[in-house]
Amino acid sequence: MSSSTIKHLAIIMDGNGRWAKERGFKRTKGHEVGAENIRDITTYCAAHESIETATFYAFSTENWKRPKLEVEFLMKLLDKYLKKELETYQKHNIRFQAIGNIDAFSKALQKRIRDTEEITKKNTNLKQILALNYGGRAEITDAVNKLLQSEKKHVTEKDISQLLQTPYEDIDILIRTSGEERISNFLLWQLSYAELYFSKTLWPDFTSEELDNILKQFTQRHRRFGGL
Ligand code: FPP
């Protein structure tokens, strides 16, 4: 078996609500602890020898369907998270980027996101991407609409790739926590050849030790990209 190098890791952080319920807490407590956990996993990725990008699904286009109070809580939590994490980004030389349609967020939150991107843009150790109001189909549809406005009569995969929010960012491994085994409209294009790993652990309990074990297993797998 040949070994595989992990450059881009993507995570669907699922199970915050169940984690809280099991402990008799409100669902929002699960999100709070879940947000803290992003820091641990991100700093692990920054210290990892080959990982260049870690993408986390923090808010999907479908998450607006949640109760208004939970959505409001998530928005405030995101603002608090970015304010606090600036120190982590600078200390560990991490660049922050957002993907998704953040126009739907408050002006203050949009500013926090854009400012954090700007301040960290020269950091080179790791790129942390948060998918915010993100949907894979919406991302591909936006790219197609841009192409329709061009003069092109024929488009290639490369044309579409270049117009995605994460051009050429193919994903090596996708992890989803909490035992659910779905893609849920995450990075549909970029996941084409990704290895998929489903962990039973609820996101707030997911540790860098478990991640380390998963990545060790992954490097044993032989990725053939459709060849032999
Ligand atoms: C799924 O748990 C989690 C999400 C809605 C996305 C992840 C959100 C966080 C980790 C917290 C906020 C993030 C930031 C960056 C501030 P769930 O509510 O679907 O859990 P359940 O399936 O057990 O109900």
Side-chain angles (χ1 to χ4, degrees):
M1 278 196 179
S2 72
S3 68
S4 308
T5 306
I6 306 133
K7 285 194 185 164
H8 191 171
L9 165 76
I11 304 187
I12 300 179
M13 309 177 281
D14 199 3
N16 295 343
R18 276 163 285 166
W19 182 92
K21 211 173 154 204
E22 276 175 10
R23 286 160 179 79
F25 299 144
K26 286 194 210 154
R27 290 177 53 80
T28 47
K29 179 73 185 167
H31 294 317
E32 225 169 78
V33 180
E36 288 287 313
N37 202 31
I38 302 175
R39 178 185 317 117
D40 283 358
I41 299 301
T42 301
T43 47
Y44 166 91
C45 291
H48 190 278
E49 57 177 3
S50 66
I51 298 176
E52 293 171 0
T53 309
T55 302
F56 297 86
Y57 209 176
F59 194 85
S60 75
T61 43
E62 285 70 39
N63 286 152
W64 296 107
K65 293 183 204 143
R66 294 188 175 209
K68 194 168 168 257
L69 280 179
E70 184 169 337
V71 171
E72 278 171 12
F73 182 89
L74 283 166
M75 296 295 139
K76 279 199 195 113
L77 185 61
L78 176 62
D79 191 62
K80 250 173 40 190
Y81 172 86
L82 289 175
K83 190 173 173 197
K84 194 165 164 195
E85 285 323 286
L86 191 55
E87 195 186 328
T88 313
Y89 295 140
Q90 299 302 63
K91 183 170 167 207
H92 296 273
N93 191 17
I94 296 165
R95 177 176 186 178
F96 162 77
Q97 271 188 338
I99 55 167
N101 179 13
I102 65 161
D103 291 351
F105 294 171
S106 73
K107 288 272 174 288
L109 184 53
Q110 289 181 43
K111 182 169 173 5
R112 170 87 63 205
I113 292 166
R114 294 297 171 228
D115 286 352
T116 311
E117 285 180 332
E118 184 61 30
I119 298 166
T120 62
K121 74 177 181 197
K122 296 216 167 79
N123 292 350
T124 52
N125 198 11
L126 176 80
K127 185 156 71 178
Q128 183 212 56
I129 299 179
L130 291 189
L132 302 168
N133 194 22
Y134 174 85
R137 287 184 179 176
E139 185 185 29
I140 296 168
T141 307
D142 284 349
V144 171
N145 276 318
K146 280 181 201 144
L147 286 165
L148 285 174
Q149 286 164 18
S150 72
E151 307 282 280
K152 287 185 194 288
K153 289 277 173 288
H154 174 85
V155 297
T156 62
E157 289 187 6
K158 195 173 164 196
D159 291 328
I160 296 178
S161 284
Q162 278 177 330
L163 288 169
L164 298 176
Q165 295 195 17
T166 50
Y168 303 118
E169 297 255 9
D170 266 359
I171 288 159
D172 299 300
I173 178 164
L174 170 77
I175 298 170
R176 182 172 189 146
T177 59
S178 90
E180 305 291 343
E181 302 192 355
R182 289 187 296 279
I183 304 292
S184 299
N185 200 16
F186 193 36
L187 300 165
L188 297 177
W189 182 279
Q190 299 87 341
L191 283 170
S192 294
Y193 290 101
E195 295 281 338
L196 307 180
Y197 190 95
F198 300 102
S199 162
K200 295 238 181 305
T201 309
L202 302 175
W203 172 252
D205 284 335
F206 187 78
T207 60
S208 52
E209 286 77 25
E210 181 171 354
L211 175 57
D212 198 54
N213 281 329
I214 295 168
L215 298 183
K216 281 192 180 119
Q217 285 177 46
F218 170 86
T219 50
Q220 302 302 315
R221 292 196 201 174
H222 182 44
R223 298 171 79 208
R224 292 191 296 272
F225 298 96
L228 292 177

